[in-house]
Amino acid sequence: MPISLEKIGFKTLKLKIMGPLIPNDIIPFEWNSIIAIVIGIFFGFILEASGFSSSRKLAGVFYGYDFAVLKVFFTAAIVSLIGLLYMDYLGYVDMSRLYVHPTYLWGAIIGGAVMGIGFVTGGFCPGTSLCAVAIGKIDAIVNVIGIMIGIFIFSELFTFFEPIYNGYFQGNITLMDSLDVNPYWFVFILTVVAILMFAASDLIRKRVKKVFY
Amino acid sequence: MVNRKLVKFLSFRYIILSIVFIVLAGGLVVLPKFEKQEGIEPEKLLADAISPERYISTDVLADRMINQDPTLLLIDLRTAEDYNKYALPNAINIPIENIFSKDYEGYLNQVEYDVVLYSNDNFKADQAWILCKRLDYKNLRVLKGGINKWYSTIINPEKPTELMASKAFDLYSFRKAASMYFGVAYPQKETEKRVVAKAKPKVTTTAKVVVPKKKKKKMPVEGGC
């Protein structure tokens, strides 16, 4: 006869809700796209509401008159990092099951450089350009057409780019894996560095001639 | 009307937020660390360990083997020496010391097959089961009684006495038939043995017959349109 768990002093098993919600089947997989659309709508709304659909604001980082982009994205990264580590610590999220973007080293470096040049010259990153198209900015429309042309050229020359695109694969690594540092100290130092950077960017902004836009 | 106190407070908002950030991040560093539980939770491991479902009986295993269940994966946990002397058909030999070596991990840590672990009795197999289950390996079973039970039930089944229920006779006849399938000859029934001997090649011939049948099916196909 099987022994019941209660008799030997164990509590009955409870369904433990632990993130990530979709990989752990707490939210069915089919909701994936719907949730993505809802999050996308809010993301676009907040981008537009905080003025990120203006190419002048975005390009301000490079000319030193507006550091909102730097501050927003760094703050977002730090908030999510600290939040995830706390939730992992308390057992609400299983960090090992989160999706980690794979690293293709040289592809990322070259792609990042190309994207950076596009960012300076166009004043948009792909997400904000679509956001700006939604409110009817002509420069954003031109930018999106440029993106499409870029995609077309890339796909036509894909066989030529493929060794870089698929090469130098490092796996799904994080900075903590590759540097082999304690994640908690890393996040703490990153936070301090980010705040110092925000302070420094404020100092720079005060010295640079103000631009009205 | 401007609330002056609030305005004064809000002028420090970025400094306050920065301090909140640093305190939160510092909290992560200061928090006492603990070793994380890997694999399944202890309660679940225990619940599965005391569940009789983790065993498979020799009869069920024999039935599945005779029916050539493709999902079955037998793993022999004994030494290579014992394995070479006698092993269940199509079993893979993974000595218990090597269950976590990289060469064999693919056999144990998978979801496609129903893995049946066995050793001489179920002692080693139970150990291996606990170790693998702890790491959340799926579809693991232990052959109840191991090879010894296999011998005493399938290979050399005990004849039921006349006073036993008819179920016992059914079981005996199944076990005896199974033992014939696994190659045991019964000298007291020479006539039956011949039938068996004839039946065995029949299996192979029927398997061969199937192939020409397929060819025949291909023959009448004509280029219609």
Side-chain angles (χ1 to χ4, degrees), chain A residues 6 52 147 151 195:
Chain A
E6 285 82 1
F52 277 27
I147 289 173
I151 293 169
I195 286 165

Side-chain angles (χ1 to χ4, degrees), chain A residues 3 10 79 86 88-89 184-185, chain B residues 24 29 32-33 36 46 50:
Chain A
I3 317 154
F10 271 91
V79 167
Y86 268 107
D88 181 57
Y89 184 85
Y184 301 112
W185 273 108
Chain B
L24 280 175
V29 177
K33 305 296 177 293
K36 267 204 166 177
L46 201 73
I50 60 176

Side-chain angles (χ1 to χ4, degrees), chain A residues 71-118:
Chain A
K71 285 176 184 168
V72 165
F73 281 102
F74 239 101
T75 314
I78 291 167
V79 167
S80 54
L81 255 178
I82 294 175
L84 272 177
L85 282 174
Y86 268 107
M87 293 204 351
D88 181 57
Y89 184 85
L90 298 172
Y92 293 118
V93 166
D94 185 359
M95 288 263 281
S96 60
R97 300 204 58 182
L98 293 178
Y99 173 73
V100 177
H101 201 69
T103 304
Y104 296 90
L105 191 62
W106 278 101
I109 291 172
I110 295 167
V114 172
M115 149 97 189
I117 294 164

Side-chain angles (χ1 to χ4, degrees), chain B residues 9-74:
Chain B
F9 176 74
L10 283 181
S11 67
F12 293 111
R13 60 191 185 277
Y14 290 121
I15 293 165
I16 292 164
L17 283 173
S18 310
I19 291 166
V20 167
F21 259 138
I22 289 176
V23 167
L24 280 175
L28 283 173
V29 177
V30 177
L31 277 176
K33 305 296 177 293
F34 58 90
E35 188 103 346
K36 267 204 166 177
Q37 163 84 17
E38 275 180 38
I40 66 169
E41 288 168 25
E43 287 90 346
K44 180 134 193 339
L45 179 68
L46 201 73
D48 286 348
I50 60 176
S51 156
E53 264 181 47
R54 73 189 182 95
Y55 287 112
I56 184 169
S57 74
T58 47
D59 297 317
V60 173
L61 180 68
D63 186 47
R64 286 180 69 173
M65 281 164 81
I66 291 164
N67 289 318
Q68 301 190 333
D69 189 338
T71 61
L72 204 60
L73 182 65
L74 293 166

